[in-house]
Amino acid sequence: MANISYAPETIATPVPIGQVAPWAIFGGLLLLIALYFVSTEEGAMQMIPGMEVHEFVHDGRHLLGFPCH
């Protein structure tokens, strides 16, 4: 077992930015939407009536340091 060595047979090719950019933008938009719901979805900035969204993200709101009550 002492004679085992690693010898790669192929060279890795870089991924073109054109293939990564759409996924990065999509992920960024999802993060911004999640941040909106955790941070400002209550009171005057409320888009969805009721307290369901607030109660759903309540613990995450406190974990990230957003006051809510």
Side-chain angles (χ1 to χ4, degrees), residues 19-52:
Q19 291 181 353
V20 176
W23 290 105
I25 292 169
F26 178 67
L29 287 174
L30 287 180
L31 288 174
L32 285 175
I33 290 169
L35 183 63
Y36 166 78
F37 278 110
V38 170
S39 64
T40 59
E41 179 62 29
E42 73 172 330
M45 299 295 292
Q46 192 171 17
M47 290 175 55
I48 301 172
M51 293 295 290
E52 289 82 11

Side-chain angles (χ1 to χ4, degrees), residues 41-66:
E41 179 62 29
E42 73 172 330
M45 299 295 292
Q46 192 171 17
M47 290 175 55
I48 301 172
M51 293 295 290
E52 289 82 11
V53 174
H54 172 81
E55 293 300 325
F56 184 73
V57 297
H58 187 261
D59 292 337
R61 182 182 301 257
H62 288 296
L63 181 68
L64 293 174
F66 291 102

